[in-house]
Amino acid sequence: MLLKKIALHTILLLFLTGCGDSSAKKQIGEQVKSAEKDTMQMDSLASHEKEEKFVLTEENAIDFFFDYQKDLKVNKVKLTTSMGSFTVQLYDNVPYHKANFIFLTRKGYFDGTQFHRVVKNFIIQGGNADDKATPEKRREIGRYLLPPDTRKGYKHHRGTLSMPSSEINNPHMLASPYEFFIVVTNPGSYHLDGEYTPFGKVIQGMEVVDKINKVRVGKGDWPFQNVYIEKAEVLE
């Protein structure tokens, strides 16, 4: 917009030059200089903001999610997949995992990811993908882990939403924030209790979870036909 103003002022200045109006020429010249200065300041600010772009790290993630969850009133997320949709409710007293899941949903991270691990009569695991977009989104959001929170009394009943531990060297079972799994075992998979953090449960559409659990899989329990999370949305 400022560049357009400069162009218009320049045209007017040329016209006035031909008319010999010196006072008007001086006024327009000052306005052009001011507009040029404003443009330079905006470019500088945009460059500074780009350099200061916030990225989550091991050092700042806990403080960030501590603040993020303070006024977080929502606790439901709807996941629309290529095989149907289901809704999960997040536990309020598992604040870091809840805040993380809401944050990533709002950032659009889960959109386009897949249920990349399906173990029959056990779990479906989502949040990863075999494309370039997913690791790029992770780089933009940041590299961090979440501490386990296994002492709130929640067990891995059927329909429980839980978070796997990271695959990196991880003696303290810190959680991989970008992935999650849902238990399909009936009545549950209680051998997972104390090892992983339950942070929610399926409250609607469990039949879709069961349907995903029945797909044919190959090496590494990855489905032969990709099962996509087409959209994840926070229910306000």
Side-chain angles (χ1 to χ4, degrees), residues 45-57:
L45 179 61
S47 176
H48 180 71
E49 288 178 346
K50 185 176 181 180
E51 292 175 359
E52 296 296 324
K53 183 178 179 181
F54 179 74
V55 175
L56 286 167
T57 66

Side-chain angles (χ1 to χ4, degrees), residues 91 93-94 149-157 193 198:
Y91 300 141
N93 63 344
V94 190
D149 193 354
T150 61
R151 298 184 180 182
K152 298 297 173 60
Y154 297 114
K155 296 182 176 296
H156 285 82
H157 300 300
D193 296 347

Side-chain angles (χ1 to χ4, degrees), residues 3 12 14 36 51 60 67 71 94 105 120 124 137 139 158 164 167 173 184-185 201 203 208 221 232:
L3 293 176
L12 183 57
L14 291 173
E36 289 175 338
E51 292 175 359
N60 66 24
D67 290 333
D71 300 314
V94 190
T105 299
K120 294 290 171 47
I124 64 171
K137 285 193 283 187
R139 281 192 293 271
R158 169 175 161 80
E167 294 179 356
M173 298 294 287
V184 301
T185 317
K201 61 182 178 181
I203 59 171
V208 175
D221 299 316

Side-chain angles (χ1 to χ4, degrees), residues 125-193:
Q125 184 168 328
N128 206 341
D130 54 357
D131 57 21
K132 295 180 179 179
T134 299
E136 178 61 30
K137 285 193 283 187
R138 292 188 181 195
R139 281 192 293 271
E140 290 179 357
I141 295 170
R143 180 179 174 83
Y144 62 102
L145 299 174
L146 293 177
D149 193 354
T150 61
R151 298 184 180 182
K152 298 297 173 60
Y154 297 114
K155 296 182 176 296
H156 285 82
H157 300 300
R158 169 175 161 80
T160 293
L161 177 70
S162 190
M163 194 171 288
S165 60
S166 172
E167 294 179 356
I168 66 174
N169 184 22
N170 187 17
H172 301 294
M173 298 294 287
L174 299 181
S176 174
Y178 292 108
E179 299 182 18
F180 62 91
F181 66 85
I182 299 172
V183 176
V184 301
T185 317
N186 194 2
S189 291
Y190 304 116
H191 64 285
L192 302 176
D193 296 347

Side-chain angles (χ1 to χ4, degrees), residues 50-115:
K50 185 176 181 180
E51 292 175 359
E52 296 296 324
K53 183 178 179 181
F54 179 74
V55 175
L56 286 167
T57 66
E58 291 293 336
E59 288 71 32
N60 66 24
I62 296 302
D63 288 340
F64 172 80
F65 287 119
F66 176 78
D67 290 333
Y68 190 85
Q69 58 84 33
K70 284 181 179 178
D71 300 314
L72 202 57
K73 305 300 182 184
V74 294
N75 65 358
K76 296 181 180 66
V77 175
K78 179 180 179 181
L79 294 101
T80 300
T81 81
S82 53
M83 297 183 69
S85 64
F86 61 91
T87 300
V88 297
Q89 180 175 342
L90 309 177
Y91 300 141
D92 293 326
N93 63 344
V94 190
Y96 294 111
H97 292 67
K98 172 190 173 183
N100 173 76
F101 200 76
I102 295 289
F103 174 74
L104 293 180
T105 299
R106 287 176 170 169
K107 294 285 285 186
Y109 169 75
F110 294 115
D111 300 353
T113 59
Q114 302 165 15
F115 283 99

